[in-house]
Amino acid sequence: MTNTHTNSLRSVLLQGLRFNRYIAHAAVALLFCTAALAQQAVTTLPPPPALKLGLIGPMTGGSADFGETMRNGVELALDEINAVGGYLGRRIELVIKDDKADPAVGKKMSEELVNGDKVFATIGFCNTGVAIASIPIFQAAKSPLLVPCAAGSPVTKVVPPAESYVFRVSPSEEIKAPFLVGQILERGLTKVAIFADETPYGQSGQADVERALSARGIKPVYTAKFPLGVQSLVPQMEQARAAGANVIVAYTVGPENAVIAKSRAAAKWQVPIAGPWTLSFPNFLKAAGPDAEGTLMVQTFIAQPTNERRAAFLAAYRRKFGSRLPVPMAGAQAYDATYLLVFALFSIKNGNLDGPSIKASLENQQRVFYGVVSTYDKPFSVQSKDAVTPNMLVMGQVKGGVVVFANPEDARRSLFVQRKQ
């Protein structure tokens, strides 16, 4: 090839390279221009309005331990949900109300949520009496209420199930009481003294225990009813001992559980104390101190990483809040309740998020949610508003100031998350 031909070819190649470089630069410029225009459009368009979710519970006072943990469980779930787009690009924001564990306050705050704040649904209530006083507000407004804590049997019975807008992700005392009775009888504790406060929770719990005992052909040997704020129950302890009791079943919320344990110690009477999940609360464990040791209580969730889901939940909670869960059941059940509600939103085909549509979706869940407490496969129906069934219950026990599995078989069984039966 001559030098002339070589130079001509080189010239053509160089022109081609310059042309390609020009095209490349133009393409890059166009890309950045398009991105800038897109960014400008994004920044100038208003974000879609957030969805308002109500949250109500005792954020202050004697029941604040589980009210705050309930709130933390909901916030943790919403952080995760909003991080991946919320509901179709709309953030879900909390409107938080403190019911102070007072029925009158709870009723007023409920009215504010459904009538003033216009929330699409509410998660809440830790105290049975507060829930019962407020349920008519949600029913009248046809506004769904998911209850992650309040466990008194009447909560899902105030309204017939088919009409009810109340859904519970907490074990009813109606199933906990028979489980508890079975556990204490297995331990040979057949002479039962019941100590119950005078609130709807305490009295409905006492009735549930009495029914469970009656089904076994047993009557309590002693019952004591006391007001909230009681400072000593030593005389009642002496009466229970004289009646031959060999176990105390405690049904109350707050520091009164510690009064029961301290009064038993003051009476120099060494019999076991057993009861519902309220005996796992910090206001009992801290106030009772060493007198809480050995106490038995019914649980759905014990804060141990027994499987991958629970380990991930416990780690996420610690990362966000910098501590362990004060009341593990409250946090786990509230976390699950939040996801169940959001799953229900995605199952509404026409995007109509009114109360009746959400109610119908909750009653006909099409998605399985792999939660912390349970694997929720159709947790609710028209005739069933309680998501937790007896197979999900385990027995906890205070050892070294913390709640652990009381039964080795429960620890082994917790490797597999249970489903509703």
Side-chain angles (χ1 to χ4, degrees):
M1 184 179 292
T2 65
N3 289 335
T4 302
H5 288 139
T6 302
N7 291 336
S8 298
L9 180 60
R10 183 182 295 116
S11 177
V12 170
L13 289 172
L14 287 172
Q15 288 177 12
L17 287 172
R18 291 190 191 102
F19 179 75
N20 289 337
R21 192 178 298 121
Y22 170 79
I23 294 296
H25 287 169
V28 170
L30 181 62
L31 176 64
F32 275 99
C33 181
T34 302
L37 290 172
Q39 181 63 34
Q40 183 179 5
V42 168
T43 55
T44 56
L45 286 175
L51 290 173
K52 292 183 180 181
L53 171 62
L55 177 67
I56 184 168
M59 307 303 166
T60 57
S63 296
D65 280 342
F66 62 133
E68 291 175 357
T69 312
M70 175 187 69
R71 180 189 64 202
N72 290 350
V74 173
E75 289 182 349
L76 179 59
L78 286 184
D79 278 358
E80 296 170 356
I81 292 165
N82 285 327
V84 293
Y87 173 72
L88 301 179
R90 299 176 67 179
R91 286 184 57 80
I92 301 174
E93 295 181 354
L94 282 179
V95 180
I96 302 174
K97 303 291 185 181
D98 180 6
D99 65 28
K100 304 181 187 297
D102 183 314
V105 174
K107 186 176 180 180
K108 181 176 183 295
M109 295 296 102
S110 297
E111 290 172 341
E112 290 183 5
L113 285 172
V114 299
N115 297 321
D117 298 306
K118 303 294 184 183
V119 297
F120 71 90
T122 299
I123 295 175
F125 297 115
C126 294
N127 304 88
T128 295
V130 184
I132 292 172
S134 302
I135 284 172
I137 304 299
F138 294 94
Q139 278 297 127
K142 296 184 178 180
S143 184
L145 170 67
L146 275 80
V147 181
C149 294
S153 299
V155 169
T156 48
K157 294 181 176 180
V158 173
V159 179
E163 304 167 21
S164 180
Y165 280 77
V166 180
F167 300 80
R168 180 158 53 185
V169 190
S170 175
S172 166
E173 297 301 341
E174 192 171 35
I175 66 170
K176 282 196 286 186
F179 180 82
L180 172 64
V181 166
Q183 289 287 310
I184 62 178
L185 294 183
E186 284 180 13
R187 290 165 169 78
L189 306 171
T190 59
K191 299 184 182 301
V192 180
I194 303 175
F195 281 68
D197 68 38
E198 61 187 15
T199 68
Y201 175 74
Q203 291 305 294
S204 65
Q206 176 178 329
D208 288 330
V209 171
E210 289 174 340
R211 278 192 293 271
L213 287 171
S214 179
R216 303 286 191 110
I218 300 172
K219 290 184 178 180
V221 298
Y222 178 80
T223 59
K225 179 180 178 181
F226 55 87
L228 295 181
V230 68
Q231 297 299 307
S232 174
L233 292 165
V234 173
Q236 291 88 335
M237 290 292 165
E238 292 172 344
Q239 292 167 14
R241 177 167 51 189
N246 60 6
V247 62
I248 296 167
V249 171
Y251 256 89
T252 186
V253 176
E256 290 76 19
N257 273 320
V259 172
I260 291 173
K262 291 286 188 183
S263 297
R264 179 198 58 172
K268 302 186 185 308
W269 187 31
Q270 294 303 312
V271 294
I273 297 174
W277 70 309
T278 55
L279 290 167
S280 67
F281 291 6
N283 57 19
F284 167 66
L285 299 175
K286 292 176 182 177
D291 294 325
E293 196 71 8
T295 298
L296 297 162
M297 78 292 296
V298 182
Q299 302 275 277
T300 59
F301 175 74
I302 290 176
Q304 293 184 10
T306 52
N307 58 52
E308 187 176 353
R309 287 186 229 168
R310 290 170 178 172
F313 169 72
L314 292 169
Y317 189 97
R318 184 180 284 275
R319 281 196 303 271
K320 180 171 175 61
F321 300 106
S323 66
R324 297 181 61 184
L325 288 89
V327 185
M329 277 179 61
Q333 290 167 181
Y335 177 89
D336 284 0
T338 307
Y339 266 100
L340 288 173
L341 176 60
V342 175
F343 269 40
L345 300 186
F346 281 103
S347 297
I348 298 173
K349 303 301 182 185
N350 60 5
N352 182 7
L353 303 186
D354 64 10
S357 297
I358 297 173
K359 174 182 182 292
S361 185
L362 284 165
E363 292 169 345
N364 297 277
Q365 283 275 31
Q366 300 302 308
R367 299 166 180 254
V368 175
F369 171 56
Y370 299 93
V372 177
V373 172
S374 171
T375 294
Y376 298 92
D377 185 3
K378 294 182 172 39
F380 307 113
S381 70
V382 173
Q383 295 301 330
S384 175
K385 295 299 190 287
D386 282 294
V388 179
T389 47
N391 61 303
M392 301 174 195
L393 303 178
V394 298
M395 206 68 178
Q397 186 171 29
V398 180
K399 289 186 178 180
V402 297
V403 176
V404 300
F405 286 100
N407 305 320
E409 62 270 23
D410 285 342
R412 290 191 294 269
R413 192 165 58 90
S414 71
L415 294 171
F416 305 95
V417 181
Q418 303 295 307
R419 295 187 181 219
K420 184 174 182 176
Q421 291 182 352

